[in-house]
Amino acid sequence: MSNANSNPKSDATRDPQGMPVLAVIGDGQLARMMHTEAIELGLAPRVLAGAPDSSAAQVFGDVEIGDYKNLDDVKHVCAGAAAATFDHEHVPNEFLDQLIAEGVSVQPQPQALIFAQDKLEQRRKMKEIGAPVPEFAPIESADDAAKFFASVDGAMCLKATRGGYDGHGVWFPKTEQDARTLVSDLLDKGTPLYAERKINFDRELSAMVARTPSGEIKAWPVVESRQRDGICVEAIAPAPNMTAQQAAYCQELATKIASELDVTGVLAVELFAHTDSSGEPTVTVNELAMRPHNTGHWTQDGCLTSQFEQHLRAVLDWPLGSVDTTAAYTVMVNTLGAAEEPAQPMEDRVMEVMRLFPDAKVHLYGKGYRPGRKMGHVNVAGADLDTVLSRAKAAAGIIVNGTANSIGN
């Protein structure tokens, strides 16, 4: 530790240069990209990783190998940290309560995280604060399932209250008997459930904000998120074909949710855009994520302050950065593992993108190949949406498939 006489800000939570130590729990690509911004800001980042070859552990200088479900491991990585944050929402809240009791600044705090961890609690809270949500009900028996199925005329979406992601933990029973059978099977396996009315949406949107413990909030432009099999494949910023009034409503909704739930750091509010019973355009809250989010990756190359830098500023209670965009449009395309791994080495694929699309920014996560896996993403920014979208998709196609055949630039 630095000498307190030479550095008046020196204490146990700072590195020898007097900068804060930041603990990140979780070793995925979000933690990896937080690290990039942390070192640029001069922070001392430390990560709790499950394995030394995980996405984040490959790049952090200070790596603690352990299990986020083990209290001693969580306490050890947070020892001496100015703040602790996450790249997922799955750390047991009782662990976080203990950390807070011992003086650790946990951001976001467990009383907010519960609404990202438990979707039924989230629905209840959203209804309480007046946020738009579909009809919903807890499902504790096959009879509950049948009753709800009938109440929504078969437009039933069944969800696991905890643990679902990227389309996992979501089911759409076709008949009342399907609902009964499915619920009985899932409850027998110990899966807690709730149901909600299925929304026939036109598109998916993401409204993202960052909030500090002191209450400063900034909102990024609303994004259109395009999905395939429950996984985000593209994000377009700002969302096209939105009026200023519609965009402002979504930003104000995300700001209200962050404030009412006392969220700190980045909050992503996923929304369904659809028409109401009178034919007017409206939105309904789909899910919340209290961390940097896939739909915010475009900010790395399309915004003055990326979601990763903003998250770090927020959890440390530093002033937030500008969310002004650097181009009329920015498109992010995920590079998902193809059905078969290309023979062309990744280095060659990256260089091919650089040759054909010098405006494309490639972000890779250091992950081993697996079909459908998020291996990285590509960002392209520019003045014309059609051009930006086509170039981003083409560049991502090279990373995924290892060829530029039939791809124009």
Side-chain angles (χ1 to χ4, degrees), residues 58-120:
Q58 295 172 27
V59 297
F60 272 73
D62 189 351
V63 180
E64 300 280 351
I65 302 299
D67 186 346
Y68 69 85
K69 298 185 293 294
N70 182 293
L71 176 58
D72 288 339
D73 291 343
V74 172
K75 292 174 71 172
H76 189 260
V77 78
C78 294
T85 191
F86 318 92
D87 93 333
H88 59 72
E89 296 102 340
H90 307 310
V91 180
N93 273 356
E94 56 268 27
F95 291 7
L96 305 182
D97 288 332
Q98 290 195 45
L99 291 175
I100 292 169
E102 294 173 9
V104 178
S105 175
V106 175
Q107 306 295 340
Q109 297 205 336
Q111 67 265 26
L113 276 170
I114 185 63
F115 301 115
Q117 296 166 336
D118 189 306
K119 295 181 177 64
L120 178 57

Side-chain angles (χ1 to χ4, degrees), residues 286-300:
N286 177 23
E287 292 189 356
L288 307 180
M290 297 179 191
R291 50 172 169 74
H293 192 254
N294 197 177
T295 58
H297 292 348
W298 69 274
T299 60
Q300 291 171 300

